[in-house]
Amino acid sequence: MVFSCLVDADFKDTEYFYGKHRRATIDRNWPDLREQLGELCDRSDAYVKAKAAAAEPTALNALRAEILAHIVSQAQRAPGLFTLSVPTGGGKTLASLAFALRHAEAHGLRRIIYAIPFTSIIDQTAAIFRDVLGDDFILEHHASIDEEKFDAREQLSKLRLAMEDWAAPIVVTTNVQLFESLFANRPSKCRKLHNIAGSVIILDEAQNLPVHLLWPSLFALDELAKHYGCTVIFCTATQPAFDRRDLKNGLALEGRELAPDPAGLAQQLTRVTIANGGAMDDAALIDALAMQDQGLVIVNSRNHALALYRAAKAEGLDGLVHLTTRQYAAQRREILARVRQDLAAGRPCRVIATSLIEAGVDVDFPRVWRAEAGLDNILQAAGRCNREGKRPVADSIVTVFKPPQHKPPFELEQAAAAFGRMAEKFDDWLAPAAITDYFKELFWQKGPEGLDQKAILSEFDVSCGEAQFNYRRVAENYRLIESGLRLVIIPASATVTEVLNRLNSADASPGKAARDVQPFTVQVPSKDFQSLLRNGRVAYHRADLWGDQFAVLTDASLYSADVGLIWEDADILGESIW
C-alpha cells in the first residue's frame, strides 16, 4: 500500500510536469462517491421501481423484489466479509449494487469495485450499471494488451499509462485485474492498490476464484477487510465452502449472509429438473437436439463445440448457432442478441456453446444439455433453462451427460469427480447443503498443497526480526490464468480499421488502442499463434513502433461469423482447413 501511494504520486507528478510543459490539460477528475451517494441511491431506487412497474406481476418478480428489499435493509451492518447466496435469476446483480451504495453511504466508503471472472459478461454488467447510475461514475477496466511487458518503452515515456489508477467511484473489472494487482510488484500494476482501500468489493460468481490460488486469495481479501476498511461480498448462486467451519484457514463468515433464507430461496427458485443422461456421443446429442425446436448444448472445449456444430449442420438442423471464444466478443454479443430474439419469437434456436454462456448470460431455453463438470458449472447451465419460471419444472430438463469421445480437461475432471461423490449423498443437488458438500469434497480432494499450488504464502515470512518478503517471485507465480494464449485482432469492422490507422503515428496511445480493439480479438494458443505468424496468416501491425503488441489476422479466409477463427494446421499452406 505504501509503494502504491508512492508510485501513483510519481506517475501523476511526472504526468503533470510534462502536461504543463506541453500546455496540455490532463483531466483525471472523477466525482467523489461519498458526495454523490444520495443521488446515486435515488437513481438506483428509481430504476428498481421502474423495472418492477414494467415487469409482469409474476410470483418470481415478487420474490426478486423481496430479496432486494431484504438485502438493502442490511446496509447498516458493520463493514467486513459477507456472503450473498441467491439462486440464478434471483436478481443478485441489482441487489448487490443497491446494497453497496447504501452500505457505502452508511459507513463513508469511497469506492465500489465489482469484480467478474469472465470478460464475456463485463460489458453486460457495466451496461446495466450505466443504465442505473449514468455514464459519469463507471470505469470499465479489462485491458487485453498489457503494455507493462515492454520495459524499454515504459522507461522511454512515463506518459504512457499502462494501467488505470482506479480513482473512479465505481469500477467494473475482472478478477485477473483485481487479484494479480494485489500480488504484483510492478509500479503500473500496483499504483491502483491505495484506491482499493475503503471500498466495497463485490466478487461476482465467487465460486470461480482459482482453486490453485485459493488460500492466498482469501488471505488477501481478509487482509483488506481487517486492515484497510474494505467490505467484501462473495456473491453467487453456488456459495463455496470458504467458511472456516468448512475449510481449514478459511474465513469468518458465520452469520454474515445477506440473503434471506438461502435454503428456502433454493426451493422457491427451483425452475428445472436435473437428469443424468449417461454417455451421449455427438450423434445422440444431435438426435436429442433435433427433437427440440429450442435447446442449448454446453460442452467443455472449443474443439468439441466446433465438431458438434459441424456435425449438426451436416444434419440440416434449423436455427443452429455456434457460440465460442473462437469468435470475437463483439460478434458474440450480436449472436446472443439474435438468439434472444429467436427465443422470444418462438423460432427454431439450437445453440451449441462452450461454458462462456453460463456466466450470467441472460438467455432462457426450455431444454439444456450439459457435459459433465463440477456442480457449479451444472447449476450455472441450469440458470439458462426456464430462467423466468414460465414453464413447468418437470418439463424444464437439464441433462448432464458424459461425452465418451471428448475427455474433459484435468481440472474439470476433478470437479466432476467431486460432484459424483456429492451426488451420491443428496437427492436435491440444488440445495445449499449439497453445494457446500460439493466444495468441501473439491477442496479436500485438492489438499493443502493444491489450494496454494505455488506456495505463495510461504514467500512471506518474518524470522529473527527480519522480514523475508519475496515480492518478485510472488508476482511471477500468482497467475489466475496460465494459458499461454495470444491475442489476434480480427480486422472485421470500421472500428478496427480506424484504430490501426491511428497506430501508424508514433504519437498514438497504444493503451487506448488496445482497449478499443479488445472486443475484436480472439485468444489463440501460443503454439498455433506462432504457426499463424510464421506462415504469414498473422502479422504485427507497425512492429517498428509497437513491437509485438498488435497482432492482426491477414488471412480473412480463416475467420467466419459462424465458427470464428480456425487456427489449427496453419502450417499446411495452400490446403483448405474448412
Side-chain angles (χ1 to χ4, degrees), residues 63 67 85-88 237 260-272 379 428-433 435:
L63 182 58
I67 293 168
S85 311
V86 177
T88 300
D261 184 19
L265 286 181
Q267 290 185 334
Q268 288 178 276
L269 286 169
T270 296
R271 297 183 295 275
V272 302
L379 296 189
D428 182 5
W429 299 345
L430 305 175
I435 295 169

Side-chain angles (χ1 to χ4, degrees), residues 496-510 513 517 539-547 550 552:
V496 176
T497 302
E498 189 271 328
V499 170
L500 295 179
N501 286 339
R502 286 202 321 257
L503 287 169
N504 289 328
S505 168
D507 294 329
S509 166
V517 299
Y540 293 120
H541 184 74
R542 292 305 304 266
D544 56 322
L545 294 176
W546 315 115
F550 301 97
V552 182

Side-chain angles (χ1 to χ4, degrees), residues 247-475:
L247 175 67
K248 182 183 178 182
N249 295 328
L251 303 174
L253 294 172
E254 186 175 5
R256 302 293 287 178
E257 175 60 55
L258 295 175
D261 184 19
L265 286 181
Q267 290 185 334
Q268 288 178 276
L269 286 169
T270 296
R271 297 183 295 275
V272 302
T273 299
I274 300 179
N276 185 354
M280 294 182 71
D281 61 15
D282 287 0
L285 287 170
I286 292 168
D287 288 344
L289 200 54
M291 296 176 67
Q292 290 286 141
D293 284 341
Q294 296 183 339
L296 169 64
V297 179
I298 305 174
V299 295
N300 289 323
S301 72
R302 292 183 291 200
N303 286 345
H304 188 188
L306 178 60
L308 182 59
Y309 171 76
R310 286 175 167 169
K313 192 174 182 179
E315 292 296 321
L317 266 64
D318 290 336
L320 197 61
V321 176
H322 178 228
L323 190 67
T324 168
T325 51
R326 288 180 181 273
Q327 297 145 331
Y328 55 82
Q331 186 133 69
R332 295 199 301 269
R333 286 197 293 273
E334 293 175 4
I335 292 170
L336 282 168
R338 291 197 300 272
V339 165
R340 292 186 185 103
Q341 291 171 1
D342 289 343
L343 289 172
R347 292 189 288 266
C349 183
R350 299 176 171 99
V351 176
I352 294 169
T354 57
S355 61
L356 70 86
I357 201 170
E358 294 172 350
V361 177
D362 187 6
V363 289
D364 188 352
F365 286 86
R367 286 290 305 272
V368 172
W369 290 262
R370 183 41 165 113
E372 65 176 8
L375 177 62
D376 46 339
N377 291 101
I378 292 166
L379 296 189
Q380 287 294 323
R384 309 317 123 200
C385 182
N386 195 24
R387 188 174 178 84
E388 294 301 318
K390 296 179 180 179
R391 306 180 188 92
V393 172
D395 297 336
S396 305
I397 301 172
V398 177
T399 301
V400 181
F401 67 93
K402 182 183 180 83
Q405 296 174 319
H406 297 273
K407 187 177 180 181
F410 178 69
E411 291 289 330
L412 277 180
E413 192 173 28
Q414 284 192 313
F419 165 66
R421 289 193 294 273
M422 178 283 297
E424 294 175 355
K425 294 183 276 184
F426 291 86
D427 294 325
D428 182 5
W429 299 345
L430 305 175
I435 295 169
T436 297
D437 188 84
Y438 161 73
F439 280 107
K440 287 171 68 175
E441 286 279 354
L442 183 63
F443 298 156
W444 170 83
Q445 181 176 280
K446 292 287 185 182
E449 296 81 8
L451 301 180
D452 186 7
Q453 206 170 77
K454 300 290 185 176
I456 300 292
L457 295 179
S458 67
E459 301 289 357
F460 298 98
D461 183 46
V462 178
S463 60
C464 301
E466 292 190 9
Q468 301 292 329
F469 293 173
N470 297 313
Y471 291 112
R472 177 177 294 180
R473 190 179 304 151
V474 167

